[in-house]
């Protein structure tokens, strides 16, 4: 059936879809977006929890790009998601923003994505595990890029590495932001510590350095990539004010 052939894990479903669907521009664009999405999810090692369902209708009429549903299921890749518990829905609503965008604006409308959570369902199904999240203050790091076409994959990899060490980290979620855009993002989100990746070209990994810059302390230092986590942990412990860190 169509469901069994074209639904399932991305590594299996995407090649089948490319072989079966017409190679027109909209179809290629949609499949390329799915392929890009899964390559990014693979960086964060969560692609195994993703299931392609070509028969799923859009959640809203203005979802003209990617859209999704989040289920709680017992099996990793079930043949059907009907028996799962629906926890969230969402998708991109660029089309809606384009329709609402004022013609007087000189810039193009931004992209948009949203999600709706079924909080009551989540609480009912996970009453023991559910705990209120405290918004604890802490140092956040913005992983930036300079040159190299945006270094999106490298930024995502570093953010994931910092998360594993319980270091709060973010990145500007666009492929190739300018350094100015990244500084503006840091200002808007009150982030004082920047880690700047630069295209190293033919440099060996052992010689790969990143720049750590703190906007309040007004200090910066070139740190070897493999020592970055230790440097940040030590710096955060002293609020970046230990002079020996920057020497």
């Amino acid at each position: 059936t169509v469901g069994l052939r074209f639904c399932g894990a991305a590594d299996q479903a995407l090649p089948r879809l490319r072989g079966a669907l017409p190679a027109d521009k909209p179809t290629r664009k949609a499949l390329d977006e799915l392929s890009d999405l899964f390559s990014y999810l693979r960086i964060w090692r969560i692609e195994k929890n993703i299931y392609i369902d070509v028969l799923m209708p859009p959640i809203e009429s203005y979802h003209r790009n990617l859209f999704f549903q989040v289920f709680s299921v017992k099996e990793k890749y079930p043949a059907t998601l009907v028996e799962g518990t629906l926890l969230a829905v969402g998708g991109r609503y660029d089309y809606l923003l384009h329709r609402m965008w004022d013609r007087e604006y000189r810039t193009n409308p931004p992209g948009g994505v949203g999600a709706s959570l079924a909080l009551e369902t989540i609480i009912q199904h996970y009453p023991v595990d559910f705990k209120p999240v405290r918004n604890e203050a802490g140092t956040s790091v913005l992983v930036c890029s300079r040159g190299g076409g945006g270094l999106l994959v490298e930024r995502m990899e570093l953010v994931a590495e910092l998360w594993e060490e319980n270091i709060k980290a973010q990145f500007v979620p666009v492929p190739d932001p300018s350094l100015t855009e990244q500084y503006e993002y840091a200002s808007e989100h009150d982030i004082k510590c920047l880690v700047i990746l630069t295209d190293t070209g033919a440099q060996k990994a052992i010689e790969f350095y990143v720049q750590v810059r703190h906007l309040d302390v007004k200090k910066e230092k070139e740190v070897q990539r493999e020592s970055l986590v230790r440097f940040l942990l030590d710096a955060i412990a002293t609020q970046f004010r230990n002079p020996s860190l920057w020497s």
Side-chain angles (χ1 to χ4, degrees), residues 6-247:
F6 299 119
C7 299
D11 291 340
Q12 300 172 10
L14 278 175
R16 293 172 182 170
L17 288 169
R18 288 190 186 278
L21 296 177
D24 55 71
K25 186 175 180 180
T27 301
R28 288 200 311 270
K29 180 176 181 292
L31 294 177
D32 287 345
E33 285 186 355
L34 275 175
S35 181
D36 289 343
L37 172 63
F38 282 98
S39 68
Y40 298 144
L41 295 178
R42 193 171 287 112
I43 296 172
W44 289 343
R45 296 191 290 275
I46 58 176
E47 81 284 355
K48 293 181 180 179
N49 298 320
I50 307 300
Y51 178 93
I52 291 181
D53 184 356
V54 297
L55 303 178
M56 183 174 69
I59 300 111
E60 300 289 350
S61 61
Y62 47 76
H63 285 156
R64 303 296 178 90
N65 296 91
L66 292 172
F67 53 91
F68 58 88
Q69 296 179 353
V70 179
F71 285 85
S72 172
V73 293
K74 293 182 180 180
E75 300 295 333
K76 184 180 293 186
Y77 284 124
T80 175
L81 294 177
V82 174
E83 298 179 359
T85 303
L86 183 62
L87 302 180
V89 298
R92 289 180 56 179
Y93 52 90
D94 307 58
Y95 177 76
L96 180 63
L97 289 176
H98 278 263
R99 291 183 59 187
M100 298 174 61
W101 200 248
D102 195 321
R103 300 291 182 182
E104 295 182 0
Y105 292 137
R106 296 182 179 180
T107 58
N108 292 324
V113 61
S116 298
L117 299 176
L119 290 179
E120 291 186 5
T121 302
I122 294 173
I123 295 172
Q124 289 172 3
H125 282 76
Y126 306 98
V128 177
D129 297 331
F130 179 78
K131 297 179 181 178
V133 177
R134 293 183 299 173
N135 186 17
E136 297 178 347
T139 300
S140 188
V141 175
L142 182 65
V143 177
C144 304
S145 65
R146 179 166 49 202
L151 302 173
L152 176 59
V153 171
E154 290 80 1
R155 285 185 287 142
M156 293 181 68
E157 289 174 341
L158 181 51
V159 165
E161 183 179 338
L162 297 180
W163 287 346
E164 289 180 356
E165 299 295 333
N166 293 320
I167 297 175
K168 295 180 180 180
Q170 302 181 42
F171 67 101
V172 178
V174 295
D176 189 9
S178 68
L179 200 57
T180 299
E181 289 174 321
Q182 293 171 98
Y183 268 88
E184 290 174 349
Y185 183 96
S187 176
E188 292 170 359
H189 294 79
D190 197 29
I191 300 175
K192 305 301 181 183
C193 179
L194 276 57
V195 174
I196 303 175
L197 305 178
T198 305
D199 185 14
T200 56
Q203 278 187 299
K204 296 180 181 178
I206 195 171
E207 300 172 341
F208 181 28
Y209 284 79
V210 300
Q211 186 180 64
V212 180
R213 183 176 298 173
H214 198 280
L215 303 180
D216 270 359
V217 179
K218 294 182 172 57
K219 297 284 187 179
E220 61 182 58
K221 183 177 182 178
E222 298 289 328
V223 179
Q224 198 166 8
R225 174 67 176 81
E226 61 185 17
S227 303
L228 176 63
V229 170
R230 174 46 51 193
F231 176 86
L232 289 175
L233 289 173
D234 291 342
I236 291 171
T238 61
Q239 297 184 342
F240 294 86
R241 298 188 181 279
N242 185 348
S244 64
L245 286 169
W246 305 101
S247 59

